[in-house]
């Protein structure tokens, strides 16, 4: 079971710095978790992730169940050993993918029947099955099986769904995980504050070691997402880690931190990297740009990642244009380093009592380069 | 200009160990040169190549001329700086690609007009233009511009062609390269020993610091390739490095070494790696094999490469099946490590006076796993 302490709180907003401890080490929060969908953070080795400073990565239960299969991963002693990753792993419940990726057949009180997006084969996920799979994967943080409703949804449906998500969370809690695993509850309720309150209260009653805010960044406008995230974060216990699932841009993360969120994950830095879109301290940069062909500069003069220490924009542009796989690797290293440095800097600012100034300065910088793309 | 000394010679065959010195460091021979076609050895960083033990890589003049263009590379101070590679580089002349990849238009005494395989644009390579491009690329070893005739070809055509290749070699030699660059002549003559002899004699008259055997491994049977390679190698000066271009399998390299060849290059280890075919001390292994799904073993128990030290066959199979880019990287590291270890071991065996036993033992081992694929 994990432990969590709040190391420092900001005076002007809800931002906080904390420390999570598990059997796989320390996670200083706020933290960004690179997404390792199917047993690798795309293009990178564990050693590269250590160098970037990643202390926890995310694995996808849905994907790993379909390929290679959780029995295979269990044969190797769990996901840590399978992929040779020695730090923390959080696995999602498969709920989000079942609803977003799979060909959905039927939701019942018992669970969800769905077809694989890979081969159309039929599968069934219930709270117990999701727990069983995540137990086999051996992740340090296990997510409760929930229904992530689409946006927009009828309020009546969202209300009905969140009640079922609570009943499912209870069933997850009754499942016996490994001693080293911690189960997080996921607050749902769509964009309706009263429903978020109901969901949060019900889950807090179940006393999880951590809470996630699910069902956001699924199509709603950003101001509404911020409003619901901030509102929901305040409902959650101070002494437990808070995780905003699947969010988001650097701007979203800075705002999320100010709402009191501790943990973030998103495919954006890795996916964008593979599509030539880079994050820098002066805004976004498309490495495809023709005018970079002779640029001797690194991606970001303020960055000390492996890519920026060793390669020019001109070389990276060439690699990308020539379709070289090395382009995706080097871009991924940079983008993940940017995200992880961002949350590290936010943490330091919180501890040093100047988070608000840091945040406003970063938001300005991130915007100034809006035209670079 | 490079220097070359023969450190040791085998008593039973023509195998020899040597040392090439250039401004970019020492190359102990026999050596295998990973192919970095378009400014990267596909999927790998220079640091990974250093760890594997690569002391020289190959760059392709044709590809780099088309993309990003030699002016761009020159802007960055040459290929070493452009790709941040600190050891040696050999560039080919573009001749082979002009004849094999491009849409060929016309060969004249002056040079070759061809269309780009990328966009169909028209280009012209002459001996002088090839030298100019390679000077801009700044490679340590520059290859003379030659015609690589297809197999089979009429003897009369091969004879005519090799005479032109000699005239082109003379023109290359007259071109003023950078002080640190060394120009190798390329012996042609197809599968005809008398023509190989004529070509070798003509090129030796021009006194190059090294000689390549070109025009082999282009479709002829392996025994014939060996026969011509061995015959041609014997024609070349003892005191100059000998390079067998574009060859080959581990078996080919062992045999090539026994013929007195010092340098090899081939896309086989890198290309096969990306297609799941791995080289091991017990023969070839397809990492796609279903029965490897639960294998805890490394690719090769006798290998100490990064991949074998850290990952199982089961994990690598999964990565490959899931289409993860990391699979190509890890497979490439292993295959290149295998090739470079093979030539290092051959070198040690030559120095220790047991090359023949080593070679026969390795050929047996390489064959025993023929069924593993």
């Amino acid at each position: 079971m994990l432990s969590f302490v709040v190391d420092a709180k900001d005076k002007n907003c809800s931002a906080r710095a904390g420390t999570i401890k598990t059997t796989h080490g320390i996670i200083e929060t706020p933290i960004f978790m690179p997404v390792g969908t199917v047993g690798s953070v795309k293009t990178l080795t564990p050693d590269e992730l250590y160098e970037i400073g990643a202390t926890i990565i995310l694995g996808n239960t849905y994907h790993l169940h379909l390929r290679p299969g959780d029995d295979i991963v269990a044969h190797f002693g769990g996901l840590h050993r399978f992929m040779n990753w020695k730090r923390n792993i959080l696995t999602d419940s498969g709920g989000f993918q079942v609803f977003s990726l799979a060909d959905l057949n039927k939701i019942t009180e018992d669970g969800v029947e769905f077809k694989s997006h890979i081969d159309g084969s039929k599968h069934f996920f219930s709270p117990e099955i999701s727990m069983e799979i995540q137990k086999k994967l051996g992740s340090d943080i296990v997510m409760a099986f929930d229904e992530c409703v689409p946006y927009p949804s009828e309020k009546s449906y969202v209300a009905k769904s969140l009640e079922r998500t609570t009943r499912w969370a209870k069933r997850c809690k009754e499942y016996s995980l490994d001693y080293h695993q911690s189960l997080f509850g996921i607050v749902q309720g769509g964009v309706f504050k009263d429903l978020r309150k109901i969901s949060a209260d019900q889950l807090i009653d179940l006393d999880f070691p951590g809470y996630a805010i699910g069902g956001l960044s699924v199509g709603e406008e950003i101001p509404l997402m911020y409003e619901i995230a901030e509102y929901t974060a305040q409902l959650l216990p101070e002494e437990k880690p808070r995780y905003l699932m699947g969010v988001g841009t650097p701007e979203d993360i800075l705002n999320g931190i100010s709402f009191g969120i501790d943990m973030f994950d998103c495919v954006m830095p890795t996916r964008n990297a593979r599509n030539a879109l880079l994050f820098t301290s002066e805004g976004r940069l498309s490495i495809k740009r023709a005018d970079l062909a002779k640029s001797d500069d690194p991606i970001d003069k303020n960055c000390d990642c492996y890519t920026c220490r060793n390669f020019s924009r001109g070389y990276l542009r060439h690699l990308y244009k020539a379709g070289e796989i090395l382009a995706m690797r080097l871009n991924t290293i940079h983008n993940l380093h940017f995200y992880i440095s961002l949350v590290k800097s936010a943490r330091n600012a919180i501890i040093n009592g100047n988070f608000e100034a840091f945040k406003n300065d970063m938001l300005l910088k991130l915007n100034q380069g809006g035209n670079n793309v």
Side-chain angles (χ1 to χ4, degrees), chain A:
Chain A
M1 180 81 88
L2 63 77
S3 72
F4 177 66
V5 290
V6 175
D7 301 319
K9 285 200 232 180
D10 190 74
K11 279 172 189 162
N12 303 307
C13 68
S14 301
R16 71 235 198 113
T19 301
I20 297 171
K21 277 187 199 166
T22 78
T23 52
H24 284 103
I26 281 173
I27 304 159
E28 293 186 329
T29 65
I31 188 67
F32 178 79
M33 305 182 280
V35 177
T37 301
V38 64
S40 91
V41 173
K42 289 196 190 304
T43 80
L44 300 190
T45 62
D47 289 304
E48 285 164 333
L49 292 164
Y50 300 149
E51 194 198 317
I52 289 166
T55 51
I56 176 168
I57 60 173
L58 188 144
N60 286 117
T61 290
Y62 168 88
H63 290 90
L64 291 164
H65 173 66
L66 296 181
R67 207 163 46 182
D70 30 289
D71 283 334
I72 297 279
V73 178
H75 164 82
F76 285 91
L79 190 53
H80 290 86
R81 284 199 193 167
F82 184 53
M83 63 185 290
N84 195 23
W85 169 254
K86 295 180 166 53
R87 298 185 181 171
N88 287 281
I89 297 175
L90 178 148
T91 44
D92 64 6
S93 67
F96 181 77
Q97 281 76 22
V98 162
F99 296 103
S100 64
L101 270 187
D103 187 5
L104 182 61
N105 283 335
K106 220 167 82 183
I107 312 178
T108 62
E109 184 60 24
D110 195 24
V112 185
E113 193 177 281
F114 63 95
K115 281 187 184 168
S116 157
H117 74 290
I118 299 169
D119 62 5
S121 57
K122 271 196 182 176
H123 297 263
F124 180 75
F125 272 8
S126 66
E128 292 78 12
I129 289 171
S130 173
M131 292 303 103
E132 187 191 345
I133 297 170
Q134 292 183 75
K135 186 174 182 175
K136 285 186 196 161
L137 297 177
S139 47
D140 303 281
I141 299 178
V142 168
M143 300 306 297
F145 188 68
D146 62 332
E147 182 187 359
C148 179
V149 296
Y151 177 83
S153 286
E154 287 294 323
K155 188 172 181 180
S156 59
Y157 183 80
V158 179
K160 206 182 102 182
S161 166
L162 85 82
E163 297 282 353
R164 184 167 51 211
T165 284
T166 298
R167 292 191 297 275
W168 284 358
K170 205 175 285 181
R171 284 163 58 186
C172 289
K173 193 151 194 288
E174 281 158 11
Y175 190 93
S176 170
L177 293 167
D178 250 25
Y179 75 97
H180 78 280
Q181 299 185 296
S182 301
L183 177 67
F184 279 27
I186 304 175
V187 180
Q188 291 290 351
V191 295
F192 308 102
K193 287 186 182 173
D194 53 343
L195 299 186
R196 286 280 170 181
K197 173 89 173 99
I198 292 170
S199 177
D201 286 347
Q202 290 179 352
L203 292 170
I204 291 166
D205 275 351
L206 293 173
D207 191 25
F208 289 100
Y211 294 91
I213 302 172
L216 287 181
S217 209
V218 292
E220 74 284 4
E221 293 291 309
I222 288 175
L224 181 58
M225 190 262 274
Y226 285 175
E227 190 186 331
I228 301 299
E230 181 166 25
Y231 175 78
T232 309
Q234 304 316 306
L235 302 172
L236 298 172
E238 275 279 327
E239 72 282 7
K240 304 281 177 75
R242 299 166 184 154
Y243 164 28
L244 181 55
M245 302 183 80
V247 173
T249 64
E251 293 85 347
D252 293 343
I253 288 174
L254 287 169
N255 284 303
I257 291 171
S258 76
F259 306 152
I261 307 289
D262 308 299
M263 303 165 69
F264 302 87
D265 81 282
C266 192
V267 294
M268 189 171 281
T270 40
R271 183 173 292 165
N272 280 1
R274 298 196 304 281
N275 293 313
L277 189 68
L278 305 177
F279 295 97
T280 84
S281 60
E282 295 180 334
R284 286 148 174 84
L285 175 75
S286 168
I287 201 69
K288 289 190 277 193
R289 269 170 39 197
D291 66 307
L292 301 181
K294 290 191 176 181
S295 171
D296 291 295
D297 294 331
I299 298 170
D300 186 344
K301 283 177 188 166
N302 299 313
C303 178
D304 64 348
C305 81
Y306 176 77
T307 304
C308 287
R309 290 199 316 272
N310 288 284
F311 304 100
S312 65
R313 289 177 171 195
Y315 179 63
L316 293 167
R317 174 185 188 271
H318 160 64
L319 287 183
Y320 192 84
K321 298 292 284 184
E324 290 289 302
I325 283 172
L326 185 57
M328 299 201 217
R329 287 183 59 185
L330 296 176
N331 291 348
T332 300
I333 286 174
H334 173 80
N335 272 0
L336 280 181
H337 185 273
F338 180 87
Y339 264 65
I340 287 178
S341 298
L342 182 75
V343 295
K344 270 189 193 168
S345 300
R347 176 182 164 84
N348 289 336
I350 295 165
I351 290 170
N352 296 328
N354 59 356
F355 174 72
E356 196 121 32
F358 164 79
K359 179 188 146 197
N360 292 334
D361 181 51
M362 275 305 300
L363 289 176
L364 268 178
K365 283 180 179 166
L366 288 167
N367 274 327
Q368 75 182 314
N371 308 328
N372 272 347
V373 171

